[in-house]
Amino acid sequence: MAGIITVDDILTKYKGRPDALIDILHEIQDVQGFLSDTSIIKVAEALDLPASKVYGVATFYSLFTVKPRGRNVIRICESAPCHVLGATAIINALEKELGIKMGETTGDGKFTLEYTSCIGVCGVAPAIMINEVVYGNLTPDKIPHILSEYR
Ligand code: FES
């Protein structure tokens, strides 16, 4: 019977493979939702790397997060085409609707707002991603309806 995958399972699989650091961090984040201090220290010990190096990698890549996140992660594209076509107004609408600022998570743990770079749909800028779903051609008035699907 397949059990719940733990950080220890992941580290056992990659033991002695410091070259697999990025893959390991991805898998841990998939399991835990974010990279906790405890996980980072465990990874460092298992790979015999300084914790500062693991932490540096975890905070360098925008796909990793070292803070707990909400059930739904909203990523707003801030690359130039989206920016020029109104990403700021979309950000304002999201912040107003959720009552949080970029980088924050709602008190009920349902939503997190994050920036991302180009998500490859510049033709329908401005665009956001909620979890794995892309929304393009956005205007601020579309935001309440989109969010209502996730509430
Ligand atoms: S710039 Fe936003 S999707 Fe490409």
Side-chain angles (χ1 to χ4, degrees):
M1 192 182 85
I4 296 169
I5 298 171
T6 65
V7 172
D8 289 331
D9 293 337
I10 296 166
L11 291 176
T12 304
K13 184 166 101 183
Y14 288 104
K15 198 156 180 48
R17 293 266 323 270
D19 58 301
L21 178 56
I22 302 270
D23 292 330
I24 294 169
L25 295 180
H26 266 301
E27 289 195 23
I28 293 176
Q29 182 160 292
D30 281 349
V31 167
Q32 297 199 316
F34 74 110
L35 299 169
S36 66
D37 287 352
T38 313
S39 304
I40 287 174
I41 290 166
K42 276 188 172 188
V43 172
E45 282 171 357
L47 299 182
D48 205 15
L49 290 170
S52 58
K53 172 165 167 82
V54 179
Y55 191 78
V57 172
T59 51
F60 178 77
Y61 293 99
S62 62
L63 277 176
F64 293 134
T65 180
V66 293
K67 284 194 291 188
R69 293 195 293 179
R71 240 183 349 273
N72 300 294
V73 178
I74 305 177
R75 296 192 179 89
I76 298 112
C77 173
E78 61 167 353
S79 291
C82 280
H83 186 77
V84 170
L85 287 168
T88 306
I90 303 304
I91 290 167
N92 290 342
L94 284 164
E95 288 184 336
K96 184 166 161 244
E97 195 64 25
L98 295 174
I100 54 172
K101 295 285 177 201
M102 291 300 297
E104 294 180 349
T105 297
T106 53
D108 60 6
K110 277 194 186 159
F111 295 99
T112 297
L113 286 178
E114 288 182 356
Y115 289 112
T116 183
S117 50
C118 181
I119 48 178
V121 292
C122 318
V124 295
I128 65 172
M129 259 177 104
I130 303 185
N131 307 324
E132 306 304 322
V133 183
V134 172
Y135 296 86
N137 286 323
L138 291 175
T139 52
D141 56 305
K142 291 181 182 169
I143 295 300
H145 178 68
I146 292 172
L147 290 181
S148 70
E149 296 172 26
Y150 295 86
R151 288 200 193 265

